[in-house]
Amino acid sequence: MGRSRRRKLPPDPVLTKVDTLSHDGRGVAHIDGKAVFIHGALPGETVNFRYTRTQKNFDEGEAIEILNPSPDRVTPECPHFGLCGGCSLQHQSAEAQILSKQTALLDAFTRIGKVQPATTLPPLVSNDAFGYRRKARLGVKYVAKKGKVLVGFRERGTPYVADLSQCLILHPKVGQLITPLSDLIGSLSIKERIPQIEVAMGDSDCVLIFRLLAPLSATDTEQLLAFGAEKGVAIYTQSGGPDTVTPLQSQPIDLHYDLPAYGLTLHFLPNDFTQVNSALNRVMIERALGLLDLGSEDRVLDLFCGLGNFTLPIAKSVKEVVGVEGDAGLVARARENALGNGVHNSRYYTANLYESLQKEPWLRERFNKVLLDPPRSGAVEVLEHLPKLGIERIVYVSCYPGTLARDAGELVNKHGYRLVSAGVMDMFPHTAHVESIALFEKS
C-alpha cells in the first residue's frame, strides 16, 4: 500500500472575510464553498492568513494580518496568548465572549435537539475573569535542547508543553509559580520522570500533586518540602493510580470551600472533582435552586451529585433530597459533608448512571423535582426514568451544549417536558468552554 501524500498548502497570504466563530474560538471563513477555521480571527474581520492544514471537508489557518479589526477585539493581557492552548478568546471582549457562548448554546438546541427555550436566561458571570482557575492539570517536560523544564498547558494545537513564565488564568498562588516550578523540577534527580502536576485549591489552601514515574531521592524530597513551605503550597505525590495520591508532608491538607449563603462548608480530597471557578459556582448554585423553586414539601433527586455541591444547599429548603453518584469516594465525601454540616434530610447512593438502573432502590421512590449535573457525555441514559418517578420540574446543569441539546430533544419530544428557559454561565472566561443551565417542566 502506498503512503498517503501530504496535501500541499496554498501559498501565503490569503485574503478573506471571517463570518462566524467556531465552538473552539476560531474564526470561520468560506473560500470556494469550503470552511476555513482561522486562529486569531474574529467575526466580521477581513484578514490575511496562512494555511496550516488542508483536509477534505475543511481547512485550517492562522491570521497573520488583521485589516479591519472587529469592535470586539481587545489586546490580550497574557504574553503567552496565541502560543498556549489554555485559553483561546483573550483577544475578544468579555461581552462578545459571553454572547458567542449564548449563540452557540441556542444554535445547538436548534440544530441538535430541534427545540428552543421559551425564555433565554441572562448569562451568569463573575467579577474575576482572570485568576479564577482553582483546578487544573499542568504538563511537565524536560527539554534538553532548551536546558530547562517546561511547566504549563499544552501549546495550541500540539501535544507539546508550552514554554510559559506565568499563567493569568490560574489562581495567582499557582499562576505565578510557573517559573519557580520549572527551576525546582530542573534541580531534581528525576526531572525527566515527572510528566504532570495537578492543582487543587480550596478557599484557603493549595495542593500540588506531582505525578512521579520514578522514586524521589532524599534530597529531592527535601527540596520539594522546602519549596512548599516557602511558597505556601502543600506538596503531594502520585506514583500510580488515584489511590496513590499521598501528602509528602506528614499530615494531609484539609481542602474545603464555603457556601456562605447556605451556611455550609464542603470538604474534599485533592483529586476529587470540584468546580474550577468558586465565585461562579456560588452564583450557579443560587440560580439552580431558584429555578427548582424549592418548597418545604419537595422531595428532590440530585443525579451526578458529586460531593454534595448542590445536594446540601437543596436540603436547606426541602423535605428530603437524595443524591446519586457513580464515584463511591465522592458519595462518601457527600455523606461526611452532610454529617459535618448537620444536614439530616439527605441520603446518598452509589450507582453508575450510564448502566441499567432497574434494581436501584431510589427508583422505587417518588420525587417531584430533579437536578442533573452530568459530565460532558450528558444524561440521556437516565431520562426515561424521570416521568416514572413523578418528576415535574428538571434543572439541568451542563458542561457541553451538544449533549444538553441532545437530551433536551429527548425530554421534549419523547418524554413530555417543555424547555422553559436556558442560558449560559461563564465558568471558564477567555476559553470557548460553554457551561449552561436549563429548566424543563412537565407539559
Side-chain angles (χ1 to χ4, degrees), residues 299 301 322 324 347 349 357-367 385 388-390:
R299 298 195 74 250
L301 185 62
V322 171
V324 184
R347 290 183 285 124
Y349 294 90
L357 299 170
Q358 300 302 332
K359 296 182 180 180
E360 291 297 322
W362 50 271
L363 275 179
R364 295 192 288 272
E365 301 183 42
R366 298 286 289 181
F367 303 90
H385 299 289
K388 303 171 189 175
L389 292 169

Side-chain angles (χ1 to χ4, degrees), residues 257-266 281-291 294 308-317 341-343:
Y257 63 91
D258 294 335
L259 299 175
Y262 308 96
L264 296 167
T265 297
L266 276 70
N281 182 54
R282 288 170 180 157
V283 294
M284 176 178 70
I285 293 170
E286 183 180 353
R287 171 159 288 183
L289 270 59
L291 292 174
L294 300 171
N309 187 56
F310 290 104
T311 326
L312 297 181
I314 288 171
K316 294 285 186 173
S317 301
N341 284 282
V343 174

Side-chain angles (χ1 to χ4, degrees), residues 420-435:
V420 178
S421 57
V424 297
M425 304 179 292
D426 205 13
M427 184 70 73
F428 293 81
H430 303 303
T431 78
H433 181 96
V434 180
E435 194 97 3

